[in-house]
Amino acid sequence: MKPSVSSSKSTSESSTSSSSSSVAPAEKLEVTSISGSTMNITLSNAVDPIKIVFTGDANSNVWVLARNTDMSTAGVTISNQNPSATASLTSGATQSTITLGKRTNLAITINGQAVDLSKYTTTIGPYNIYLTVTPATGTTSNATTATSTATTTNSSAQ
């Protein structure tokens, strides 16, 4: 008679994974105060690069200057021959003074958001815009967790 042989094998596996992240709030351009020919603006949740774009129309002849940027310290004249100019704020900078010879026939955007020049309470320039930049706190990402369990049982009886 042959001896009896018994064998069993058991395997179990489990795996879990999770991941989450959040993005900083959108940039917000806000006029905080206006007095005469002075406007204070805050750009919050800002992400470098900060771009200031000046755009004129067919009747433009406006001198502009953006300090603490890559723009020439002599400024730029927006006209038919030079209908737009872009200035990038120095990386990491949190302030800029933007000076305009006049406010008519000119549009300004800061990181794509329009500055409403009609809010000035005087028609006599020059005009100053004091820009304060609050950087975004960045994005946060929670670490990804992965758990894996494997169990193998072998038993054999003879």
Side-chain angles (χ1 to χ4, degrees):
M1 181 157 137
K2 273 187 160 184
S4 112
V5 174
S6 164
S7 173
S8 78
K9 184 177 182 180
S10 156
T11 302
S12 70
E13 291 184 32
S14 70
S15 178
T16 60
S17 177
S18 68
S19 176
S20 67
S21 66
S22 63
V23 179
E27 289 181 337
K28 181 180 178 187
L29 187 69
E30 180 180 21
V31 175
T32 55
S33 68
I34 300 172
S35 177
S37 60
T38 301
M39 184 184 298
N40 291 294
I41 294 179
T42 298
L43 178 64
S44 54
N45 300 312
V47 178
D48 277 334
I50 311 299
K51 296 215 179 271
I52 305 165
V53 179
F54 303 91
T55 307
D57 63 19
N59 299 314
S60 292
N61 190 19
V62 181
W63 175 83
V64 299
L65 172 63
R67 292 174 183 84
N68 211 11
T69 69
D70 60 357
M71 181 180 274
S72 164
T73 56
V76 175
T77 299
I78 305 297
S79 64
N80 281 341
Q81 295 79 28
N82 187 32
S84 69
T86 300
S88 295
L89 201 62
T90 303
S91 182
T94 59
Q95 295 184 341
S96 179
T97 300
I98 302 164
T99 303
L100 316 172
K102 60 184 183 177
R103 64 182 171 99
T104 56
N105 308 94
L106 181 70
I108 301 174
T109 61
I110 300 174
N111 273 16
Q113 299 182 58
V115 175
D116 186 357
L117 299 177
S118 71
K119 291 187 176 214
Y120 277 114
T121 58
T122 183
T123 56
I124 300 169
Y127 300 91
N128 284 311
I129 299 171
Y130 297 102
L131 173 64
T132 301
V133 175
T134 304
T137 55
T139 59
T140 59
S141 177
N142 295 336
T144 300
T145 14
T147 305
S148 179
T149 306
T151 305
T152 304
T153 304
N154 285 325
S155 76
S156 165
Q158 290 181 344

